[in-house]
């Protein structure tokens, strides 16, 4: 047995009790686990900032200062310190007795923490307190490990953790095997693993630390990409797809009759799709494009390629409203072709169903648009060649696999249809590369010409009257207005009350008979909802007051203003989707974000970002930076495929791209990783961490 597998309880000063605690709190049981538990930051004991130079903008600072006075204010211990250049306050809400005892006037300490501004006074809340240090006295970095209340109570302090790491490294570091082949280290200028592990815990200097962090992050991202891409290579080498070599007359007829020119991005994406469908391999492509970027046309032309090769297509939308809208648009595009298109949803009558089932089975229907109803067992295709899925994140795994099974039967089994997944929720590239590392990704990054920018402003409730005046002007000019209220699950009752109050206020400001206000929310019956929605869509109501139930994708080109109430409560991608409801017609459009008086700094940042850009991808990138990728809308269901130990998808985008390109080059040379020099990679990929679910099959 190697030292790496030794239990941490045998480390000096640990024992069975602390070992159990570490196992419970951090999942660390062996020396190997321990040395892979890295500091999340470092204190640089060599740099001390004079208080005069401390500002709230700084991340973490260390000051060495003497206590001037200590005071208990309510439940808060306030310690004023001075270093001769200035004064600042140290604040404690916990450990008051202990801190009051040691932080006595005249005593000097080194304080480490995040400076902030509180009522014009510079302070730090719960700084780390150490004996005083002269500037530059003890150069170098000390790792800081994440901890828990229980660990601290159990005596596993930062210092104990450092001692454990030092002991573990001296026992087992020499046994740690290099995980990456020599050529990978050389190509990427990476330091060896043993060097990296020593310096991640006990950096010799800042250069060694940076090299070590880089090595460990690269390793993680590279192996992750290698694992994802390997699945893709395996798939693309198999010939399991329907070859569609032709374009066919229907494609050309539709193309030639288009009322507009395709944007460069649409053309490029169609070329990518054509190449996939011709290749004889199964297409698995994610099409990303902001709201209004023209994805429908791309879907239609793709279906016509299938039709040109004698195959049927289905287009699946998440809701009935969206399916209807798709169907209406698509039928228009298909007018110059001979392709028959039908719609199937939950509310299709039995009689119509029979005709549809027949048409699908005898092959006379070329394209079917619908909802989940398409997945039912009695929906049988003659030759399904392409499945288009709109707004992918609302479909579950089982549902997708049902679609796969509807492909044409061959002597060797069922051939899966080509799959095109369309999403309007922009996913940052770095995340897409990981979540969909196994899918090919196409992006429509260009809007059709003539789309007017939406002017976005953020106001406080005090400006409501001015806003109402503006809305009346818009309505007088023949426009319509959306007013959206937040409805957040936990406080549904209260929110509904807000909505009701808001509605009454609006009706008062926009009285009958001059104004008609419709209201839609989740507590209404389907009929009520449809009735009110239709009143707005058909222009009978001037204002639609609603919760976020207004469907993604619903099109009311005459609506020129989107008002979002309590906008600080919405996430960025939600705000972006809501704003996408306007700016679809010929008129200049507006988005008015009404914030409450109590709006946090983070919420204000989101609102400011909304006012500064309309670019969905930029918003998604920023969103990810502000919140971290786990919270991004559209990814909750799938979740992140892995837990990264040190790299961050939000922050290490450049390194991720580099790792991906490099992983591709490795697989280009050795697709099966059979070359002996890649044996290490194969054994790393076997580890559970990199055993990633096949995202291609579920998207
Ligand atoms: P998405 O589904 O990506 O949100 P749509 O496909 O619904 O967008 O297209 C939005 C609008 O833009 C539609 O009215 C469509 O007719 C129009 N459109 C699409 N492509 C173009 C183009 N190349 N030039 C002009 N208008 C376009
Ligand atoms: Mg659409």
């Amino acid at each position: 047995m190697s030292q790496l597998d030794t239990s941490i309880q045998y480390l000096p000063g640990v024992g069975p009790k602390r070992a159990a605690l570490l196992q419970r709190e951090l999942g660390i049981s062996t020396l190997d686990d321990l040395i892979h538990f890295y500091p999340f930051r470092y204190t640089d004991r060599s740099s001390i900032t004079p208080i005069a130079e401390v500002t709230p903008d700084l991340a973490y600072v260390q000051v060495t200062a003497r206590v001037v006075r200590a005071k208990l204010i309510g439940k808060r211990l306030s310690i004023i310190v001075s270093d001769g250049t200035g004064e600042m306050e140290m604040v404690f809400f916990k450990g008051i007795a202990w801190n009051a005892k040691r932080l006595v006037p005249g005593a000097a300490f080194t304080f480490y923490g995040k400076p902030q501004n509180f009522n014009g006074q510079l302070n730090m809340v719960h700084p780390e307190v150490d004996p005083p240090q002269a500037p530059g006295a003890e150069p170098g970095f000390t790792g800081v490990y994440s901890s828990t209340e229980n660990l601290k109570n159990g005596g596993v302090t930062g210092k104990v953790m450092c001692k454990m790491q030092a002991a573990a490294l001296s026992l087992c570091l020499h046994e740690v095997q290099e995980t990456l082949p020599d050529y990978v280290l050389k190509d990427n200028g990476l330091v060896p693993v043993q060097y990296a592990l020593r310096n991640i815990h006990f950096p010799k200097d800042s250069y060694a630390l940076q090299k070590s962090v880089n090595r460990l992050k690269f390793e993680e991202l590279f192996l992750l990409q290698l694992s994802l891409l390997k699945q893709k290579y395996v798939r693309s080498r198999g010939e399991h797809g329907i070859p569609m070599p032709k374009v066919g007359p229907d494609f050309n007829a539709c193309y030639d009759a288009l009322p507009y020119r395709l944007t460069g991005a649409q053309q490029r994406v169609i070329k990518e799709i054509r190449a996939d469908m011709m290749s004889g391999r199964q297409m698995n492509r994610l099409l990303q494009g902001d709201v209004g970027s023209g994805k429908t046309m791309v879907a239609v032309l793709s279906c016509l390629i299938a039709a040109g090769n004698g195959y049927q297509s289905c287009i699946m939308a998440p809701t009935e409203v969206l399916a209807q809208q798709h169907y209406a648009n698509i039928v228009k595009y298909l007018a110059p072709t001979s392709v028959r298109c039908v719609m199937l949803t939950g509310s299709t009558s039995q009689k119509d169903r029979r005709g549809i089932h027949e048409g699908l089975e005898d092959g006379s229907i070329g394209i079917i648009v619908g909802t989940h109803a398409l997945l039912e067992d009695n929906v049988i295709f003659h030759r399904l060649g392409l499945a288009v899925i709109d707004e992918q994140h609302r479909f579950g795994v089982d549902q997708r696999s049902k679609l796969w099974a509807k492909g044409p039967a061959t002597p060797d089994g069922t051939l899966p249809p080509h799959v095109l997944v369309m999403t309007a929720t922009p996913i940052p590239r770095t995340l897409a590369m990981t979540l969909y590392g196994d899918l090919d990704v196409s992006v429509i990054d260009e809007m059709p010409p003539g789309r007017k920018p939406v002017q976005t402003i953020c106001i406080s409730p005090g400006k409501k009257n001015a806003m109402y005046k503006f809305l009346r002007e818009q309505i007088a000019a023949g426009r319509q207005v959306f007013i959206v209220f937040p409805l957040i699950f936990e406080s549904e009752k209260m929110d509904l009350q807000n909505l009701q109050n808001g509605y009454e206020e609006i009706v008062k400001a926009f009285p009958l008979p001059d104004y008609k206000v419709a209201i839609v929310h989740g507590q209404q019956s389907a009929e009520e909802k449809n009735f009110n929605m239709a009143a707005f869509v058909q222009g009978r109501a001037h204002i639609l007051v609603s919760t976020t139930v207004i469907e993604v994708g619903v099109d009311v080109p005459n609506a020129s203003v989107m008002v979002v109430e309590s906008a600080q409560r919405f996430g960025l991608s939600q705000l972006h989707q809501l704003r996408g409801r306007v700016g679809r017609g010929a008129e200049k459009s507006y988005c008015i974000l009404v914030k409450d008086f109590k709006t946090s700094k983070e919420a204000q940042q989101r609102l400011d970002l909304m006012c500064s850009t309309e670019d969905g991808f930029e918003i998604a990138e920023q969103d990810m930076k502000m919140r971290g990728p786990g919270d991004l809308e559209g990814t909750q269901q799938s979740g992140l495929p892995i837990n990264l130990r040190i790299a961050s998808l939000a922050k290490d985008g450049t390194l991720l791209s580099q790792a991906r390109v490099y992983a591709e080059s490795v697989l280009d040379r050795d697709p099966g990783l059979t070359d002996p020099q890649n044996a290490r990679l194969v054994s790393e990929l076997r580890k559970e961490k990199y055993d990633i679910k096949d995202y291609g099959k579920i998207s």
Side-chain angles (χ1 to χ4, degrees):
M1 192 167 118
S2 85
Q3 291 285 4
L4 286 164
D5 299 322
T6 305
S7 162
I8 47 169
Q9 68 168 301
Y10 304 113
L11 284 176
V14 180
K17 227 167 132 196
R18 280 188 181 172
L21 184 63
L22 281 154
Q23 161 61 31
R24 209 167 49 237
E25 298 289 310
L26 299 171
I28 295 173
S29 27
T30 64
L31 297 189
D32 193 40
D33 297 338
L34 182 65
I35 62 173
H36 288 98
F37 177 64
Y38 309 137
F40 72 98
R41 67 175 171 82
Y42 299 83
T43 54
D44 178 0
R45 296 304 191 200
S46 63
S47 104
I48 302 231
T49 310
I51 291 179
E53 287 171 22
V54 175
T55 70
D57 307 328
L58 296 174
Y60 279 84
V61 294
Q62 181 165 252
V63 302
T64 290
R66 234 169 247 292
V67 176
V68 181
R69 58 186 178 275
K71 216 158 93 190
L72 194 63
I73 308 171
K75 288 202 161 109
R76 155 172 155 256
L77 177 65
S78 160
I79 307 281
I80 305 294
V81 303
S82 164
D83 69 350
T85 73
E87 283 193 353
M88 74 186 288
E89 183 191 29
M90 304 294 155
V91 180
F92 299 86
F93 298 100
K94 284 195 230 157
I96 291 189
W98 150 246
N99 281 307
K101 209 162 104 194
R102 64 173 174 162
L103 303 176
V104 291
F109 296 92
T110 293
F111 300 93
Y112 180 90
K114 167 88 189 80
Q116 53 185 27
N117 202 336
F118 183 75
N119 286 341
Q121 159 96 54
L122 212 48
N123 77 13
M124 284 188 205
V125 176
H126 284 266
E128 279 172 29
V129 182
D130 282 306
Q133 296 189 13
E138 207 179 281
F141 299 87
T142 308
V144 180
Y145 298 84
S146 46
S147 184
T148 66
E149 201 66 31
N150 288 339
L151 281 173
K152 280 185 195 142
N153 292 339
V156 186
T157 60
K159 278 189 188 111
V160 169
M161 179 56 87
C162 282
K163 274 196 194 134
M164 285 169 58
Q165 292 287 4
L169 287 173
S170 72
L171 278 172
C172 71
L173 186 62
H174 64 280
E175 286 183 7
V176 174
Q177 301 273 329
E178 182 52 73
T179 49
L180 300 175
D182 283 345
Y183 78 93
V184 173
L185 296 182
K186 222 175 269 154
D187 286 354
N188 296 283
L190 304 175
V191 296
V193 69
Q194 291 187 8
Y195 176 96
L197 284 173
R198 169 164 300 286
N199 282 281
I200 198 88
H201 293 290
F202 300 100
K204 197 166 59 167
D205 49 41
S206 65
Y207 178 76
L209 176 59
Q210 183 231 317
K211 290 297 271 182
S212 303
V213 168
N214 184 65
R215 139 86 207 210
L216 295 170
K217 283 185 176 176
F218 184 90
E219 171 178 344
E220 216 167 37
L221 296 170
F222 168 67
L223 290 173
L224 170 63
Q225 290 301 328
L226 199 62
S227 158
L228 289 162
L229 288 166
K230 194 161 169 279
Q231 298 174 30
K232 178 165 150 182
Y233 270 69
V234 168
R235 195 191 67 228
S236 65
R237 278 181 312 140
E239 293 291 304
H240 296 302
I242 306 166
M244 300 193 180
K246 286 184 284 192
V247 163
D250 289 317
F251 180 98
N252 290 325
C254 174
Y255 196 98
D256 293 341
L258 278 180
Y260 45 71
R261 284 170 62 98
L262 292 183
T263 62
Q266 283 170 316
Q267 289 177 22
R268 187 189 68 235
V269 167
I270 288 166
K271 266 195 207 128
E272 288 167 356
I273 292 171
R274 254 209 73 195
D276 282 359
M277 292 171 74
M278 283 177 72
S279 71
R281 298 182 289 265
Q282 189 214 6
M283 171 170 79
N284 249 305
R285 192 168 276 280
L286 176 73
L287 175 57
Q288 291 198 52
D290 216 337
V291 189
S293 60
K295 294 184 293 294
T296 316
M297 197 57 238
V298 172
V300 170
L301 288 170
S302 309
C303 293
L304 291 175
I305 294 174
N309 290 276
Y311 286 91
Q312 297 164 297
S313 306
C314 67
I315 300 181
M316 213 156 74
T319 67
E320 182 133 2
V321 180
L322 279 177
Q324 267 161 11
Q325 217 165 63
H326 267 319
Y327 178 69
N329 285 329
I330 290 167
V331 166
K332 267 187 267 166
Y333 289 130
L334 293 178
T337 73
S338 61
V339 175
R340 183 176 159 214
C341 179
V342 297
M343 178 167 76
L344 177 69
T345 70
S347 57
T348 305
S349 72
Q350 277 308 320
K351 184 168 146 273
D352 290 346
R353 269 171 202 250
R354 225 166 297 133
I356 289 171
H357 290 161
E358 276 171 27
L360 286 176
E361 280 184 65
D362 67 21
S364 62
I365 293 172
I367 300 176
I368 183 162
V369 180
T371 55
H372 294 77
L374 293 174
L375 298 171
E376 285 161 17
D377 289 336
N378 54 11
V379 176
I380 298 162
F381 290 85
H382 174 57
R383 294 172 91 192
L384 179 64
L386 170 68
V388 179
I389 303 173
D390 202 5
E391 300 298 344
Q392 102 287 359
H393 57 273
R394 300 208 195 171
F395 283 103
V397 180
D398 297 351
Q399 297 169 327
R400 290 166 192 148
S401 62
K402 274 193 179 164
L403 256 185
W404 276 55
K406 290 186 188 287
T410 70
D412 307 328
T414 309
L415 267 186
H418 296 296
V419 176
L420 181 66
V421 177
M422 306 200 291
T423 176
T425 307
I427 302 165
R429 258 183 188 287
T430 50
L431 188 59
M433 269 188 214
T434 306
L435 279 182
Y436 304 106
D438 180 47
L439 284 190
D440 296 300
V441 179
S442 290
V443 182
I444 307 188
D445 50 6
E446 185 184 348
M447 284 295 192
R451 220 185 122 90
K452 299 249 168 54
V454 179
Q455 190 178 337
T456 304
I457 59 164
C458 179
I459 63 168
S460 46
K463 292 269 168 60
K464 275 239 181 122
N465 282 330
M467 177 178 90
Y468 289 152
K469 181 164 170 279
F470 173 73
L471 297 184
R472 282 188 207 104
E473 286 164 15
Q474 287 286 307
I475 293 170
R479 311 282 113 71
Q480 290 167 281
V481 176
F482 288 106
I483 303 184
V484 175
F485 284 81
L487 191 96
I488 293 167
F489 191 68
E490 302 100 88
S491 51
E492 214 165 320
K493 249 199 190 131
M494 205 184 84
D495 286 335
L496 213 54
Q497 190 58 46
N498 283 347
L499 175 72
Q500 204 59 43
N501 295 346
Y503 174 66
E504 277 157 28
E505 184 187 319
I506 289 155
V507 170
K508 237 180 253 159
F510 297 87
L512 285 165
D514 293 344
Y515 300 100
K516 292 200 185 69
V517 184
I519 179 166
V520 172
H521 59 77
Q523 307 280 300
Q524 289 171 329
S525 69
E527 279 145 73
E528 241 180 313
K529 235 187 278 179
N530 282 340
F531 177 84
N532 283 298
M533 200 64 214
F536 189 68
V537 172
Q538 292 158 12
R540 281 179 278 122
H542 302 105
I543 299 179
L544 180 71
V545 174
S546 75
T547 56
T548 44
V549 294
I550 45 170
E551 300 286 351
V552 189
V554 164
D555 213 3
V556 185
N558 191 47
S560 65
V561 189
M562 167 62 65
V563 177
V564 184
E565 293 278 355
S566 301
Q568 80 284 349
R569 290 179 57 187
F570 289 84
L572 272 171
S573 68
Q574 230 180 347
L575 289 173
H576 180 67
Q577 288 290 335
L578 286 172
R579 179 167 59 185
R581 303 293 104 230
V582 295
R584 316 195 125 214
E587 303 309 323
K588 179 160 173 50
S589 297
Y590 304 86
C591 176
I592 304 177
L593 306 172
V594 186
K595 63 172 178 181
D596 289 353
F597 289 114
K598 273 187 263 162
T599 293
S600 71
K601 212 170 111 194
E602 292 79 41
Q604 188 61 51
Q605 270 180 351
R606 289 199 296 271
L607 300 178
D608 290 345
L609 181 66
M610 286 298 294
C611 294
S612 71
T613 181
E614 262 197 86
D615 180 336
F617 283 94
E618 189 182 333
I619 290 172
E621 291 280 353
Q622 296 292 341
D623 200 14
M624 188 158 101
K625 284 200 182 118
M626 288 182 205
R627 297 203 290 167
D631 285 341
L632 262 194
E633 208 172 289
T635 62
Q636 280 115 328
Q637 257 138 324
S638 42
L640 280 179
I642 52 148
N643 262 328
L644 293 171
R645 222 178 241 145
I646 180 165
S648 147
L649 294 176
K651 294 185 190 128
D652 299 317
T654 315
L655 200 59
L656 177 60
S657 310
Q658 191 189 322
R660 182 178 174 88
V661 170
Y662 191 71
E664 272 167 354
S665 78
V666 168
L667 287 169
D668 276 341
R669 283 187 305 251
D670 182 17
L673 297 181
T674 49
D675 188 326
Q677 70 173 344
N678 286 327
R680 278 179 191 169
L681 296 177
V682 175
S683 71
E684 283 304 304
L685 291 184
R686 277 205 202 102
K687 292 187 180 162
E688 196 185 358
K689 178 172 174 183
Y690 296 107
D691 179 20
I692 293 148
K693 285 178 238 132
D694 184 349
Y695 275 75
K697 291 213 165 80
I698 62 173
S699 290

